[in-house]
Amino acid sequence: MSIPQALLENAMFHQNLWWSYAKEGGLEVLNLSEGLQHYLGPAVVVLEDIMGDYETALLRLKIEEALKDENAISSEFDMRFNASYETLKGKRSFQHQLRVLQVDGERIVWANCIDVSEMVALEREMVDAQGRMTLTNMYDRQQALEERNTFITNSYNKQSRFLALLSHELRSPLLGISSLVKRLRLGSDVSPEVSSMLKTIAMTAEQSTYLVNDILTYSQTEYDGITLHPAEVSLPELLESVKQLTKSIASDKNLIISLVYLGEHQYVLADGVRLTQILINLIVNGIKFTQYGGVNIEVSETKKDYFLFKITDSGEGINNERLQQIFEPFAQLETDEGRYTNNTRYLGAGLGLFVVKQLVELMGGEIKVASEVGVGTTFTFELKLECLDKNRLAASVSEGVTKLVVLQKEPCLKSSTQIGTVSVNSETATQNLCLDPLKILIADDSKINRMVLAGYLADLQCEVVEAKDGREAWELFKAQKFDYVLLDIQMPFIDGVEVSKRIRDLYNQGKAPSLKGVFAITAGGDASGFITEEERHDTLGFDEWLVKPVSKNQIVKLLQKDYRASDEQKDIKLEVENKKINYDSKQKDERDDLASIDDVPKQFHHLFESFVVEMTSGLKELNELNLLNNREKIKKTAHYLKGNCMLFQLTGLVKLFKSIEMIQEMNTNKVASNLSRFEETKNVLQKLILNVKNLEKSGSISHNKQ
């Protein structure tokens, strides 16, 4: 098989770029033009030699395709493709036009080649340019989007920060109003009409304070996050504090706030400020939607370091559809349903439960809610709080039964931490408290706050010097001798932290020998927000850090301690205090263990006689049921009587009835164990009978006094 002679004799034909392919006797026959051979250089024997480093199956695929095509020999057949060869001039791209020739009955593939390297390079450059243009546009667009996003984020952060600052500025006057109104309401010359108006002002101020606290927490969550600051906290005292803080709002609707603490430990490691905020929000939420009854707080120690919090109200309940939305922010703004209760409008932006959920999750817990329309709602969450074993609460039930604890209503003589947030306790009688004459410096840029603190201290016969900013406070401290200093943190010219550090340095130089303590009193939260990462609380120079509102009882506690006394002096004072506590405890144990009419809110005194009669009858029934070993009826009767005790706020009796219920849960059928359960139930019933008799006796004494 050969190329036609006419073509071979044409010199121009040999200078063109072409190659031919055929098979002869099963072997491949490859012919190249002189022009193409000149490009390639080395002799070409097989088809792969043409491709060089760019060898692919492309040529063979195209040849096979052309040979199999029945119409390939027609003049209309036209197969074109590009392929690159390794030539003496480097990589070159060629366009191939394949045709099939019929010679002596055999098919020959004829490939005419055109060097299109410049065109391919230009095309590639155009593609690259288009790609670069696209990437540039994408980059510019991305940069524009990032700049816009940065602008939006900065604007949002500025708004959130402004909201946080505004919330802080609102807290201070609101707390001042609450404190002044409280002092006015305690006055003996206040008329009933004025007292009613003051009560309304106090309620509005308290609700506004809770709302501002929620806004502040929400803005912190959205802007820069919230950091927990665990400290040593007395959990029973914190719970009692929460009860007292919400009690006034509940009493305005004739509702009861009851509290039961079932635990073995008193002190835990927790962020007391945030835990208090969680509980207050849940209680206030329950008060809003409750018409009759009240709200019950029950805290149990499920196991060491784990505490279950349960807040139950007897309100209107929540339907399932609404239940799915209650933890969403601003959910309350979407509807006015429930915002008016008993003709009273409650302030709120729908942030309370959202804030609760955020804080519970931040503390490692999960909040759950269960509700039944017309019955009430229960919120539960469990938190891991490290227990501090140095103080365990005494058990009130025999071994083998869950231990129940009676909350102490007296304020503790020792603050929970050396540097921490002092918890708010219930107001106790301090009018007759005798303190040595003390000279105290108050520094606060809010006149109303200075008035509140000065009023408390005046009642305690203290000499008070006021400063309206940090600079004036520092000058006064250098010029005069003070026993205690109370500093606001955010003040003009020099802030409270800087004043405290200067006072500390002066004291360390021996130039302030009379100083007994320096205290921070601020509406801005705990110390963590005012120190750098390198600093510690004790580097600020403060002996205690209090968060407004500050009660008179807190001030009294602060002034009972010399924080700058030597260790020897502290040991002597502590020994004296312990002896006094032990003596007082022995004198009061028997009396404190029994309930009296003084434990019952005055608004329920008119129901007291009926309550005692029902309790006496109920205890008699329980005694009979215990003889019959009727565990189910014992539980039901004890549960009913426990509810009455919750209404009358008789916490000790609530715990005893709770223990009876739990004793019946002992899962055994052994005779010996049944006898044990009978004896344990009998012992608790005897305690209840003694309490009811003391209640009746105290009621009679109170009636005779009247």
Side-chain angles (χ1 to χ4, degrees):
M1 187 188 321
S2 60
I3 303 299
Q5 189 65 30
L7 289 175
L8 294 175
E9 293 176 353
N10 190 325
M12 183 65 74
F13 172 73
H14 289 286
Q15 296 303 315
N16 288 335
L17 306 178
W18 56 265
W19 54 265
S20 66
Y21 173 90
K23 283 187 177 182
E24 188 174 312
L27 299 175
E28 293 181 340
V29 178
L30 187 62
N31 291 307
L32 277 73
S33 69
E34 293 178 5
L36 185 57
Q37 186 66 56
H38 179 71
Y39 260 94
L40 300 178
V44 176
V45 179
V46 294
L47 198 60
E48 282 72 20
D49 292 338
I50 299 177
M51 301 297 292
D53 292 340
Y54 300 93
E55 179 180 340
T56 67
L58 179 63
L59 291 183
R60 290 193 178 279
L61 289 173
K62 294 297 183 181
I63 289 171
E64 291 295 329
E65 184 180 345
L67 291 175
K68 290 179 180 180
D69 194 336
E70 296 180 354
N71 299 319
I73 60 175
S74 70
S75 59
E76 296 179 359
F77 180 78
D78 188 7
M79 181 184 289
R80 296 172 187 255
F81 63 91
N82 289 342
S84 297
Y85 299 163
E86 186 65 50
T87 72
L88 296 175
K89 299 180 180 180
K91 178 186 176 183
R92 306 294 290 180
S93 297
F94 297 89
Q95 184 185 73
H96 295 68
Q97 182 181 21
L98 255 59
R99 291 186 179 277
V100 179
L101 304 178
Q102 187 78 20
V103 179
D104 298 333
E106 296 292 337
R107 289 191 172 194
I108 300 174
V109 176
W110 183 283
N112 189 30
C113 303
I114 302 175
D115 189 347
V116 293
S117 300
E118 287 74 12
M119 185 173 66
V120 170
L122 179 60
E123 183 181 2
R124 185 176 294 113
E125 180 62 30
M126 292 178 64
V127 172
D128 290 345
Q130 182 65 33
R132 288 193 298 271
M133 184 181 299
T134 302
L135 288 174
T136 301
N137 290 339
M138 290 178 62
Y139 175 78
D140 291 342
R141 184 178 180 185
Q142 179 68 21
Q143 190 175 23
L145 288 173
E146 289 178 356
E147 290 176 355
R148 184 177 180 184
N149 184 59
T150 301
F151 174 76
I152 294 173
T153 302
N154 290 338
S155 298
Y156 182 77
N157 286 342
K158 287 179 181 178
Q159 292 178 12
S160 298
R161 191 172 185 181
F162 170 75
L163 194 61
L165 293 173
L166 179 62
S167 301
H168 172 266
E169 292 302 319
L170 287 172
R171 286 184 72 194
S172 189
L174 284 172
L175 296 175
I177 292 171
S178 297
S179 300
L180 287 176
V181 168
K182 184 181 295 185
R183 293 197 66 205
L184 289 173
R185 292 178 69 182
L186 293 175
S188 58
D189 56 346
V190 178
S191 67
E193 183 180 0
V194 173
S195 178
S196 176
M197 289 188 289
L198 290 174
K199 183 178 180 181
T200 303
I201 294 173
M203 184 183 70
T204 304
E206 286 179 354
Q207 292 177 2
S208 300
T209 301
Y210 295 146
L211 173 59
V212 169
N213 288 341
D214 288 343
I215 294 174
L216 180 59
T217 302
Y218 174 76
S219 61
Q220 289 174 335
T221 303
E222 296 296 303
Y223 173 61
D224 55 4
I226 298 176
T227 303
L228 295 177
H229 301 280
E232 184 180 316
V233 175
S234 171
L235 190 54
E237 286 186 21
L238 184 145
L239 295 172
E240 183 66 24
S241 163
V242 168
K243 176 182 173 182
Q244 295 300 325
L245 285 171
T246 54
K247 190 175 179 180
S248 60
I249 296 179
S251 63
D252 290 332
K253 295 181 65 178
N254 294 321
L255 300 177
I256 296 300
I257 302 294
S258 59
L259 172 62
V260 179
Y261 178 58
L262 310 172
E264 296 182 344
H265 295 84
Q266 178 176 359
Y267 290 98
V268 297
L269 200 61
D271 189 325
V273 174
R274 296 306 180 187
L275 182 56
T276 297
Q277 188 176 6
I278 291 171
L279 295 172
I280 286 178
N281 272 339
L282 291 174
I283 295 169
V284 172
N285 182 77
I287 293 172
K288 284 183 184 180
F289 304 104
T290 299
Q291 300 295 327
Y292 307 100
V295 180
N296 180 51
I297 310 108
E298 182 177 313
V299 181
S300 58
E301 190 172 352
T302 56
K303 57 183 178 180
K304 191 175 185 299
D305 295 340
Y306 284 87
F307 293 83
L308 181 66
F309 296 79
K310 183 184 296 184
I311 293 82
T312 304
D313 64 60
S314 56
E316 60 193 49
I318 309 170
N319 60 48
N320 289 331
E321 181 180 354
R322 181 73 172 166
L323 206 60
Q324 305 302 318
Q325 305 172 354
I326 59 173
F327 291 118
E328 296 177 5
F330 311 111
Q332 188 168 328
L333 294 178
E334 298 172 2
T335 173
D336 286 334
E337 181 182 357
R339 299 197 70 187
Y340 291 85
T341 312
N342 196 24
N343 296 324
T344 302
R345 184 180 188 276
Y346 286 89
L347 299 175
L351 284 175
L353 294 181
F354 170 78
V355 166
V356 165
K357 185 174 185 294
Q358 298 294 309
L359 292 178
V360 168
E361 292 178 352
L362 185 64
M363 299 175 77
E366 178 185 5
I367 188 164
K368 299 179 181 179
V369 57
S371 185
E372 185 175 347
V373 176
V375 177
T377 303
T378 299
F379 290 90
T380 57
F381 60 93
E382 188 176 49
L383 297 178
K384 182 179 181 181
L385 305 174
E386 181 181 344
C387 297
L388 305 179
D389 291 326
K390 64 178 184 177
N391 287 299
R392 294 174 66 89
L393 296 175
S396 62
V397 185
S398 61
E399 292 295 329
V401 183
T402 301
K403 298 178 179 180
L404 310 178
V405 182
V406 179
L407 287 173
Q408 299 299 317
K409 292 187 178 180
E410 290 78 22
C412 61
L413 298 176
K414 182 180 179 181
S415 62
S416 58
T417 56
Q418 182 178 1
I419 300 293
T421 303
V422 178
S423 58
V424 183
N425 293 296
S426 58
E427 289 291 344
T428 57
T430 56
Q431 300 296 333
N432 298 323
L433 181 65
C434 295
L435 292 174
D436 294 333
L438 298 171
K439 187 173 182 179
I440 299 175
L441 173 62
I442 299 175
D444 197 314
D445 58 336
S446 169
K447 184 177 181 180
I448 190 171
N449 289 334
R450 296 199 304 272
M451 289 175 60
V452 171
L453 292 173
Y456 288 157
L457 295 170
D459 293 341
L460 301 174
Q461 309 302 315
C462 297
E463 179 184 350
V464 179
V465 177
E466 299 183 23
K468 61 180 179 298
D469 56 60
R471 183 171 60 190
E472 184 178 354
W474 172 237
E475 295 299 328
L476 286 169
F477 185 83
K478 290 190 297 181
Q480 303 180 39
K481 294 181 179 180
F482 294 96
D483 295 291
Y484 295 96
V485 179
L486 281 65
L487 296 172
D488 186 27
I489 297 300
Q490 294 175 307
M491 293 187 293
F493 305 115
I494 305 177
D495 63 31
V497 172
E498 179 62 27
V499 174
S500 177
K501 290 179 179 179
R502 293 185 183 185
I503 290 175
R504 176 198 58 194
D505 294 340
L506 201 64
Y507 177 82
N508 291 338
Q509 297 171 17
K511 298 180 180 179
S514 63
L515 184 65
K516 296 182 176 65
V518 179
F519 313 121
I521 301 181
T522 177
D526 59 23
S528 60
F530 300 93
I531 61 176
T532 63
E533 294 182 358
E534 293 77 18
E535 290 180 309
R536 305 187 313 274
H537 288 181
D538 56 1
T539 64
L540 302 181
F542 292 109
D543 298 293
E544 290 286 5
W545 188 286
L546 291 85
V547 177
K548 298 174 183 177
V550 179
S551 67
K552 186 175 182 179
N553 187 54
Q554 285 178 284
I555 298 297
V556 171
K557 285 169 59 179
L558 293 177
L559 304 185
Q560 288 178 330
K561 183 175 180 181
D562 185 352
Y563 294 85
R564 307 301 169 99
S566 65
D567 292 337
E568 183 179 356
Q569 290 173 315
K570 290 180 180 179
D571 291 339
I572 294 174
K573 185 175 182 181
L574 182 60
E575 183 180 355
V576 173
E577 287 180 348
N578 287 337
K579 288 181 179 179
K580 184 178 185 299
I581 292 170
N582 292 334
Y583 175 79
D584 291 344
S585 297
K586 290 179 181 178
Q587 297 295 317
K588 294 182 178 181
D589 272 349
E590 184 175 353
R591 183 189 65 192
D592 290 345
D593 283 343
L594 298 177
S596 71
I597 193 172
D598 294 332
D599 299 323
V600 180
K602 290 184 179 180
Q603 60 264 38
F604 294 109
H605 280 196
H606 67 288
L607 301 173
F608 181 75
E609 292 183 3
S610 299
F611 171 75
V612 171
V613 171
E614 187 172 16
M615 289 296 295
T616 303
S617 175
L619 291 174
K620 182 179 179 181
E621 182 181 355
L622 280 174
N623 192 49
E624 294 172 353
L625 292 172
N626 191 37
L627 291 171
L628 298 173
N629 192 29
N630 193 331
R631 295 162 61 185
E632 289 301 318
K633 284 193 176 181
I634 290 175
K635 285 196 296 182
K636 289 182 179 179
T637 305
H639 184 77
Y640 171 76
L641 295 174
K642 181 184 70 175
N644 289 347
C645 293
M646 289 173 62
L647 182 66
F648 280 76
Q649 288 188 279
L650 296 171
T651 309
L653 271 66
V654 170
K655 294 182 179 69
L656 292 173
F657 280 117
K658 180 70 174 179
S659 69
I660 290 179
E661 290 180 84
M662 299 179 74
I663 292 171
Q664 310 313 309
E665 297 292 342
M666 294 171 61
N667 188 18
T668 178
N669 294 318
K670 295 181 180 180
V671 175
S673 297
N674 285 334
L675 289 174
S676 174
R677 183 172 56 244
F678 168 80
E679 290 297 330
E680 289 177 357
T681 304
K682 180 181 176 182
N683 290 336
V684 179
L685 284 173
Q686 288 177 348
K687 293 180 181 180
L688 284 165
I689 291 170
L690 286 174
N691 274 275
V692 172
K693 286 183 177 179
N694 193 71
L695 273 171
E696 187 176 10
K697 181 180 178 181
S698 65
S700 300
I701 294 174
S702 176
H703 179 74
N704 291 335
K705 287 181 178 180
Q706 294 175 357

